[in-house]
Amino acid sequence: MVCVQSQYYSLVLNGESFGFFKGAKGLRQGDPLSPLLFTIAIEYLSRILHYTTSIMPFRYHPLCGRLKLYHLMFADDLLLFSKGDVQSIMVLLISFATFSKATRLQMNTTKSNIYLNGVKNSVKDDIPLISCFTEGTLPFRYLGVPITAGRLNKKDSQALIDKVAERIRGFVLKAVDNICRNFLWDGNSECMRVPPVAWEKICCPKSEGGLGIRDSKARNTTAIRKLLVLKKKTALSGTKCRLGSQMSLRLIKVTRFNSWMVARNALMVKHRLFDLGISSDDLCLLCGLHTETHNHLFQGCQYSNKIIAETTAFIHLQVPSLKTLGWIQKRSRTSTEKDVVLCALMNAHYSIWMR
């Protein structure tokens, strides 16, 4: 009881905490004791129902008699079952009234309904009056499962099937993304190390610094929407789209990927390896004079500068630094010239890194 009776609260006003005051009753919101105490309290309701249905004239629901089932509970949801007669329903109401008097837990009549099926009209009019409940219509849903008087048909269970299928599809799509991510970094489907670049960033468009790889969820959503468009046979089927031609980079994919890693400062240079305790020092492997960071390796190192100088001289172009994307966009007169410069610099990046 100390856990229940010792809670104190303070007020936060304009970012500052002011004073304490003792709670009068109940638990703190989100208190881990709440589910346990609620279960103990509801256990009392189960025992009352078991007692009253055994000593008073109570008739089970026709489909619940073999199991002697008169209630189901999940958290604060309660289902009560009985034969559709006044006496049986009164037994359930008396049981709950006894429980409410002892625990002060009240039923919310505005959120409660009574469902009747196969009941005579004379009795059907009396039951809502004595119970104070509004009559609901079947089927209704409980925990996502449709509850009906008969067997579930395909239409009734379709929503549940769709929900299960969605969960399975989400699990499969996530597994596919994991395999693709692992293959990108290690060349196989299993990878235990933390990736240098998050998968969300890799899936960003190239214009936003990503690789333009679409995740499985996006591909699946696109495919579903295309299917819906085809099924509806909208006017989109007659729309013509003209795509402009774009020169592709005469360039190896691994070279492009390496330059993308350079742009994101994601390569495992010695400075990073030294911080992780993998390397004994952080000196540049090429010149041995300075700390090997991204900036040094691809801009400050004498060896790197020589490669860049010879590369730009070969294509008869003077590039001010390796941060040339914006410069290339401004200075290049044609897309072909821009592609040539990018090819040369990406190959230079790759040569430096491999060395």
Side-chain angles (χ1 to χ4, degrees):
M1 293 305 296
V2 174
C3 295
V4 181
Q5 297 175 346
S6 63
Q7 70 267 27
Y8 284 84
Y9 300 92
S10 63
L11 297 178
V12 177
L13 183 63
N14 295 331
E16 296 184 18
S17 179
F18 294 90
F20 290 90
F21 62 93
K22 194 175 186 304
K25 65 177 182 178
L27 296 173
R28 301 179 184 90
Q29 185 174 0
D31 193 305
L33 276 178
S34 298
L36 175 61
L37 294 180
F38 183 79
T39 302
I40 295 174
I42 290 298
E43 174 64 21
Y44 178 51
L45 174 60
S46 298
R47 298 192 180 197
I48 291 176
L49 287 169
H50 179 74
Y51 178 72
T52 54
T53 54
S54 63
I55 66 170
M56 298 180 71
F58 176 80
R59 300 172 66 187
Y60 291 98
H61 186 281
L63 299 179
C64 302
R66 185 172 60 87
L67 298 175
K68 294 186 176 181
L69 180 67
Y70 40 79
H71 76 304
L72 287 175
M73 288 181 289
F74 182 80
D76 57 349
D77 291 327
L78 173 65
L79 295 178
L80 297 174
F81 308 97
S82 75
K83 180 75 173 178
D85 60 76
V86 175
Q87 284 185 330
S88 299
I89 293 176
M90 285 299 298
V91 171
L92 298 179
L93 294 176
I94 291 172
S95 301
F96 199 88
T98 305
F99 170 77
S100 297
K101 185 177 180 180
T103 62
R104 297 183 181 180
L105 295 175
Q106 301 295 324
M107 185 184 300
N108 190 337
T109 56
T110 61
K111 295 183 178 180
S112 302
N113 293 98
I114 189 167
Y115 300 90
L116 304 171
N117 190 62
V119 179
K120 296 181 180 179
N121 290 333
S122 57
V123 180
K124 193 173 183 179
D125 295 336
D126 294 337
I127 291 177
L129 295 177
I130 64 173
S131 64
C132 299
F133 295 145
T134 303
E135 184 178 356
T137 57
L138 294 173
F140 68 94
R141 295 193 176 278
Y142 179 66
L143 303 181
V145 180
I147 305 297
T148 182
R151 292 180 178 273
L152 292 178
N153 55 37
K154 183 178 180 180
K155 182 179 178 181
D156 294 332
S157 56
Q158 188 60 46
L160 180 61
I161 295 174
D162 293 341
K163 185 178 293 186
V164 173
E166 181 66 27
R167 293 292 298 273
I168 295 176
R169 182 164 59 246
F171 175 80
V172 172
L173 294 177
K174 186 176 181 181
V176 171
D177 281 341
N178 288 337
I179 293 174
C180 295
R181 181 195 62 198
N182 295 340
F183 183 81
L184 178 66
W185 298 114
D186 277 5
N188 56 61
S189 60
E190 296 182 1
C191 176
M192 301 302 294
R193 64 187 179 93
V194 179
V197 182
W199 182 248
E200 292 77 12
K201 295 182 179 179
I202 292 175
C203 293
C204 288
K206 294 181 180 179
S207 60
E208 299 177 9
L211 288 178
I213 298 176
R214 288 195 299 171
D215 60 83
S216 298
K217 186 176 181 180
R219 290 198 302 269
N220 183 70
T221 302
T222 303
I224 291 176
R225 289 177 179 174
K226 286 182 178 178
L227 181 62
L228 292 176
V229 170
L230 291 175
K231 282 186 176 181
K232 292 182 178 180
K233 297 182 179 179
T234 63
L236 292 176
S237 59
T239 303
K240 294 183 179 180
C241 180
R242 185 176 182 181
L243 299 178
S245 60
Q246 182 179 5
M247 183 178 181
S248 62
L249 300 178
R250 309 147 301 281
L251 183 63
I252 302 175
K253 290 184 178 181
V254 68
T255 308
R256 297 175 62 184
F257 179 72
N258 182 80
S259 289
W260 179 78
M261 293 284 286
V262 173
R264 299 199 67 89
N265 291 332
L267 292 175
M268 297 301 291
V269 293
K270 286 194 66 179
H271 176 67
R272 183 173 293 177
L273 295 176
F274 180 73
D275 288 342
L276 295 174
I278 299 176
S279 176
S280 58
D281 63 82
D282 59 0
L283 293 178
C284 176
L285 282 172
L286 300 180
C287 67
L289 300 176
H290 303 280
T291 299
E292 185 183 289
T293 63
H294 274 83
N295 288 336
H296 169 76
L297 186 58
F298 295 101
Q299 295 187 55
C301 182
Q302 298 175 359
Y303 183 90
S304 302
N305 289 338
K306 186 176 180 180
I307 290 182
I308 295 297
E310 292 181 356
T311 301
T312 55
F314 179 77
I315 59 176
H316 305 289
L317 190 67
Q318 294 298 319
V319 181
S321 70
L322 282 185
K323 295 183 178 180
T324 56
L325 293 181
W327 181 83
I328 291 172
Q329 294 287 349
K330 295 178 181 178
R331 292 290 302 275
S332 298
R333 292 183 294 273
T334 65
S335 60
T336 302
E337 183 178 276
K338 180 175 66 176
D339 289 344
V340 170
V341 175
L342 287 176
C343 285
L345 292 177
M346 288 179 181
N347 277 286
H349 289 170
Y350 188 66
S351 298
I352 293 170
W353 179 244
M354 292 306 295
R355 179 60 179 175

